Short mmCIF file of all heavy atoms in Angstrom, two decimals:
data_model
loop_
_atom_site.label_atom_id
_atom_site.label_comp_id
_atom_site.label_asym_id
_atom_site.label_seq_id
_atom_site.Cartn_x
_atom_site.Cartn_y
_atom_site.Cartn_z
N TYR A 591 36.18 69.60 43.22
CA TYR A 591 36.54 69.93 44.60
C TYR A 591 38.03 69.74 44.87
O TYR A 591 38.62 70.49 45.65
CB TYR A 591 35.74 69.07 45.57
CG TYR A 591 34.27 69.33 45.61
CD1 TYR A 591 33.36 68.34 45.29
CD2 TYR A 591 33.77 70.58 46.00
CE1 TYR A 591 31.99 68.57 45.34
CE2 TYR A 591 32.41 70.82 46.04
CZ TYR A 591 31.52 69.81 45.73
OH TYR A 591 30.16 70.04 45.77
N VAL A 592 38.62 68.75 44.27
CA VAL A 592 39.94 68.28 44.69
C VAL A 592 41.09 68.96 43.96
O VAL A 592 42.16 69.18 44.55
CB VAL A 592 40.02 66.74 44.51
CG1 VAL A 592 41.42 66.23 44.77
CG2 VAL A 592 39.00 66.05 45.41
N GLN A 593 40.90 69.33 42.71
CA GLN A 593 42.04 69.69 41.87
C GLN A 593 42.86 70.87 42.40
O GLN A 593 44.07 70.92 42.18
CB GLN A 593 41.57 69.98 40.45
CG GLN A 593 40.55 71.10 40.33
CD GLN A 593 39.92 71.15 38.94
OE1 GLN A 593 40.31 70.40 38.05
NE2 GLN A 593 38.95 72.03 38.75
N ASP A 594 42.25 71.80 43.10
CA ASP A 594 42.99 72.95 43.62
C ASP A 594 43.06 72.96 45.15
O ASP A 594 43.43 73.98 45.75
CB ASP A 594 42.35 74.25 43.14
CG ASP A 594 42.42 74.39 41.63
OD1 ASP A 594 43.47 74.02 41.06
OD2 ASP A 594 41.44 74.85 41.02
N LEU A 595 42.69 71.87 45.77
CA LEU A 595 42.66 71.81 47.24
C LEU A 595 43.78 70.87 47.71
O LEU A 595 43.62 69.65 47.71
CB LEU A 595 41.29 71.30 47.71
CG LEU A 595 41.02 71.31 49.21
CD1 LEU A 595 41.13 72.70 49.79
CD2 LEU A 595 39.66 70.69 49.51
N GLN A 596 44.90 71.44 48.08
CA GLN A 596 46.07 70.64 48.43
C GLN A 596 45.81 69.64 49.56
O GLN A 596 46.28 68.49 49.48
CB GLN A 596 47.25 71.55 48.78
CG GLN A 596 47.87 72.24 47.58
CD GLN A 596 48.36 71.24 46.54
OE1 GLN A 596 49.03 70.27 46.88
NE2 GLN A 596 48.04 71.50 45.28
N PRO A 597 45.09 70.00 50.64
CA PRO A 597 44.83 68.98 51.66
C PRO A 597 44.09 67.76 51.12
O PRO A 597 44.32 66.64 51.58
CB PRO A 597 43.97 69.74 52.69
CG PRO A 597 44.38 71.17 52.53
CD PRO A 597 44.60 71.33 51.05
N ALA A 598 43.21 67.96 50.13
CA ALA A 598 42.49 66.84 49.54
C ALA A 598 43.41 65.99 48.65
O ALA A 598 43.33 64.76 48.66
CB ALA A 598 41.30 67.35 48.73
N LEU A 599 44.27 66.65 47.90
CA LEU A 599 45.22 65.90 47.07
C LEU A 599 46.15 65.05 47.93
O LEU A 599 46.50 63.92 47.55
CB LEU A 599 46.02 66.86 46.21
CG LEU A 599 45.24 67.60 45.11
CD1 LEU A 599 46.10 68.69 44.49
CD2 LEU A 599 44.74 66.63 44.05
N ARG A 600 46.52 65.57 49.09
CA ARG A 600 47.47 64.84 49.94
C ARG A 600 46.88 63.58 50.54
O ARG A 600 47.63 62.65 50.90
CB ARG A 600 47.97 65.77 51.05
CG ARG A 600 48.96 66.83 50.57
CD ARG A 600 49.70 67.46 51.73
NE ARG A 600 48.84 68.27 52.57
CZ ARG A 600 48.65 69.59 52.42
NH1 ARG A 600 49.26 70.24 51.44
NH2 ARG A 600 47.86 70.25 53.24
N ILE A 601 45.56 63.50 50.69
CA ILE A 601 44.98 62.31 51.33
C ILE A 601 44.71 61.18 50.34
O ILE A 601 44.34 60.08 50.75
CB ILE A 601 43.70 62.65 52.11
CG1 ILE A 601 42.57 63.13 51.16
CG2 ILE A 601 43.99 63.66 53.21
CD1 ILE A 601 41.23 63.33 51.86
N ILE A 602 44.87 61.42 49.04
CA ILE A 602 44.54 60.38 48.05
C ILE A 602 45.32 59.09 48.28
O ILE A 602 44.71 58.00 48.28
CB ILE A 602 44.73 60.91 46.62
CG1 ILE A 602 43.63 61.93 46.29
CG2 ILE A 602 44.71 59.77 45.60
CD1 ILE A 602 43.78 62.60 44.93
N PRO A 603 46.64 59.10 48.50
CA PRO A 603 47.33 57.82 48.74
C PRO A 603 46.80 57.07 49.96
O PRO A 603 46.68 55.83 49.93
CB PRO A 603 48.80 58.24 48.93
CG PRO A 603 48.91 59.54 48.20
CD PRO A 603 47.59 60.23 48.42
N THR A 604 46.46 57.80 51.02
CA THR A 604 45.93 57.14 52.22
C THR A 604 44.55 56.57 51.96
O THR A 604 44.22 55.47 52.44
CB THR A 604 45.89 58.13 53.40
OG1 THR A 604 47.18 58.72 53.56
CG2 THR A 604 45.52 57.42 54.70
N ILE A 605 43.73 57.29 51.21
CA ILE A 605 42.41 56.75 50.83
C ILE A 605 42.58 55.44 50.07
O ILE A 605 41.90 54.44 50.36
CB ILE A 605 41.63 57.76 49.98
CG1 ILE A 605 41.15 58.94 50.85
CG2 ILE A 605 40.42 57.09 49.31
CD1 ILE A 605 40.48 60.05 50.05
N ASN A 606 43.48 55.42 49.10
CA ASN A 606 43.67 54.21 48.29
C ASN A 606 44.18 53.05 49.14
O ASN A 606 43.73 51.90 48.99
CB ASN A 606 44.64 54.50 47.16
CG ASN A 606 44.04 55.38 46.07
OD1 ASN A 606 42.82 55.47 45.95
ND2 ASN A 606 44.89 56.03 45.30
N ASP A 607 45.12 53.32 50.03
CA ASP A 607 45.64 52.26 50.90
C ASP A 607 44.55 51.72 51.82
O ASP A 607 44.44 50.50 52.03
CB ASP A 607 46.81 52.79 51.74
CG ASP A 607 48.06 53.02 50.92
OD1 ASP A 607 48.15 52.51 49.78
OD2 ASP A 607 48.97 53.72 51.42
N LEU A 608 43.75 52.63 52.37
CA LEU A 608 42.69 52.21 53.28
C LEU A 608 41.62 51.44 52.53
O LEU A 608 41.11 50.42 53.02
CB LEU A 608 42.09 53.42 53.99
CG LEU A 608 41.01 53.14 55.02
CD1 LEU A 608 41.51 52.16 56.09
CD2 LEU A 608 40.52 54.43 55.66
N ALA A 609 41.26 51.89 51.34
CA ALA A 609 40.26 51.17 50.55
C ALA A 609 40.73 49.74 50.27
O ALA A 609 39.95 48.78 50.38
CB ALA A 609 40.00 51.92 49.24
N LYS A 610 41.99 49.59 49.93
CA LYS A 610 42.54 48.26 49.68
C LYS A 610 42.44 47.40 50.94
O LYS A 610 42.04 46.22 50.89
CB LYS A 610 44.00 48.38 49.23
CG LYS A 610 44.70 47.06 48.91
CD LYS A 610 46.09 47.33 48.34
CE LYS A 610 46.80 46.04 47.93
NZ LYS A 610 47.20 45.25 49.10
N GLY A 611 42.80 47.97 52.08
CA GLY A 611 42.74 47.22 53.33
C GLY A 611 41.32 46.83 53.72
O GLY A 611 41.09 45.71 54.21
N VAL A 612 40.37 47.71 53.50
CA VAL A 612 38.97 47.41 53.82
C VAL A 612 38.47 46.27 52.94
O VAL A 612 37.82 45.34 53.41
CB VAL A 612 38.10 48.67 53.66
CG1 VAL A 612 36.61 48.32 53.69
CG2 VAL A 612 38.42 49.67 54.77
N ARG A 613 38.79 46.33 51.64
CA ARG A 613 38.37 45.24 50.75
C ARG A 613 38.99 43.91 51.19
O ARG A 613 38.32 42.87 51.18
CB ARG A 613 38.78 45.55 49.30
CG ARG A 613 38.09 46.75 48.67
CD ARG A 613 38.45 46.87 47.20
NE ARG A 613 38.15 48.18 46.66
CZ ARG A 613 39.05 49.14 46.46
NH1 ARG A 613 40.34 48.92 46.73
NH2 ARG A 613 38.69 50.32 45.97
N GLU A 614 40.27 43.93 51.53
CA GLU A 614 40.95 42.70 51.92
C GLU A 614 40.35 42.08 53.18
O GLU A 614 40.39 40.86 53.35
CB GLU A 614 42.44 42.98 52.15
CG GLU A 614 43.21 43.24 50.86
CD GLU A 614 44.64 43.67 51.12
OE1 GLU A 614 44.97 44.02 52.27
OE2 GLU A 614 45.44 43.66 50.14
N ARG A 615 39.77 42.91 54.03
CA ARG A 615 39.14 42.40 55.26
C ARG A 615 37.69 42.01 55.06
O ARG A 615 37.02 41.62 56.01
CB ARG A 615 39.28 43.44 56.37
CG ARG A 615 40.69 43.49 56.96
CD ARG A 615 40.95 44.79 57.70
NE ARG A 615 42.26 44.81 58.34
CZ ARG A 615 43.41 44.97 57.70
NH1 ARG A 615 43.42 45.11 56.39
NH2 ARG A 615 44.56 44.99 58.37
N GLY A 616 37.18 42.15 53.85
CA GLY A 616 35.81 41.75 53.56
C GLY A 616 34.80 42.88 53.61
O GLY A 616 33.59 42.64 53.51
N GLY A 617 35.28 44.12 53.77
CA GLY A 617 34.39 45.26 53.79
C GLY A 617 34.11 45.79 52.40
O GLY A 617 34.60 45.26 51.39
N VAL A 618 33.31 46.82 52.35
CA VAL A 618 32.85 47.43 51.11
C VAL A 618 33.40 48.85 51.02
O VAL A 618 33.53 49.55 52.03
CB VAL A 618 31.30 47.46 51.07
CG1 VAL A 618 30.79 48.25 49.87
CG2 VAL A 618 30.74 46.06 51.08
N VAL A 619 33.71 49.29 49.82
CA VAL A 619 34.10 50.67 49.57
C VAL A 619 33.02 51.35 48.74
O VAL A 619 32.55 50.77 47.74
CB VAL A 619 35.46 50.75 48.85
CG1 VAL A 619 35.84 52.21 48.56
CG2 VAL A 619 36.55 50.08 49.68
N ALA A 620 32.61 52.54 49.15
CA ALA A 620 31.59 53.30 48.43
C ALA A 620 32.11 54.69 48.10
O ALA A 620 32.67 55.37 48.95
CB ALA A 620 30.32 53.42 49.26
N TRP A 621 31.94 55.08 46.85
CA TRP A 621 32.35 56.41 46.37
C TRP A 621 31.08 57.21 46.10
O TRP A 621 30.24 56.81 45.29
CB TRP A 621 33.17 56.28 45.09
CG TRP A 621 34.33 55.33 45.21
CD1 TRP A 621 34.34 53.99 44.93
CD2 TRP A 621 35.65 55.65 45.66
NE1 TRP A 621 35.58 53.46 45.17
CE2 TRP A 621 36.41 54.46 45.61
CE3 TRP A 621 36.28 56.83 46.09
CZ2 TRP A 621 37.75 54.41 45.98
CZ3 TRP A 621 37.60 56.79 46.45
CH2 TRP A 621 38.33 55.59 46.40
N VAL A 622 30.96 58.34 46.77
CA VAL A 622 29.78 59.18 46.64
C VAL A 622 30.16 60.48 45.95
O VAL A 622 31.13 61.13 46.33
CB VAL A 622 29.14 59.48 48.01
CG1 VAL A 622 27.89 60.33 47.84
CG2 VAL A 622 28.81 58.18 48.74
N SER A 623 29.38 60.87 44.94
CA SER A 623 29.65 62.08 44.17
C SER A 623 28.49 63.05 44.28
O SER A 623 27.33 62.64 44.37
CB SER A 623 29.87 61.73 42.69
OG SER A 623 30.97 60.88 42.52
N MET A 624 28.82 64.32 44.26
CA MET A 624 27.81 65.37 44.24
C MET A 624 27.38 65.65 42.81
O MET A 624 28.23 65.84 41.92
CB MET A 624 28.38 66.66 44.85
CG MET A 624 27.40 67.83 44.86
SD MET A 624 26.09 67.56 46.07
CE MET A 624 25.16 69.09 45.89
N THR A 625 26.07 65.66 42.56
CA THR A 625 25.52 66.07 41.28
C THR A 625 24.63 67.28 41.53
O THR A 625 23.57 67.15 42.17
CB THR A 625 24.72 64.94 40.61
OG1 THR A 625 25.60 63.83 40.37
CG2 THR A 625 24.12 65.39 39.29
N ALA A 626 25.06 68.44 41.06
CA ALA A 626 24.37 69.69 41.38
C ALA A 626 23.49 70.19 40.25
O ALA A 626 22.64 71.06 40.47
CB ALA A 626 25.40 70.77 41.74
#
Side-chain angles (χ1 to χ4, degrees):
Y591 293 119
V592 173
Q593 59 191 355
D594 296 321
L595 186 60
Q596 287 302 314
L599 293 170
R600 287 195 292 267
I601 65 174
I602 289 176
T604 307
I605 288 175
N606 288 339
D607 288 344
L608 183 56
K610 181 174 183 289
V612 168
R613 295 186 197 101
E614 288 174 346
R615 284 161 176 75
V618 173
V619 178
W621 307 92
V622 181
S623 299
M624 179 71 178
T625 299

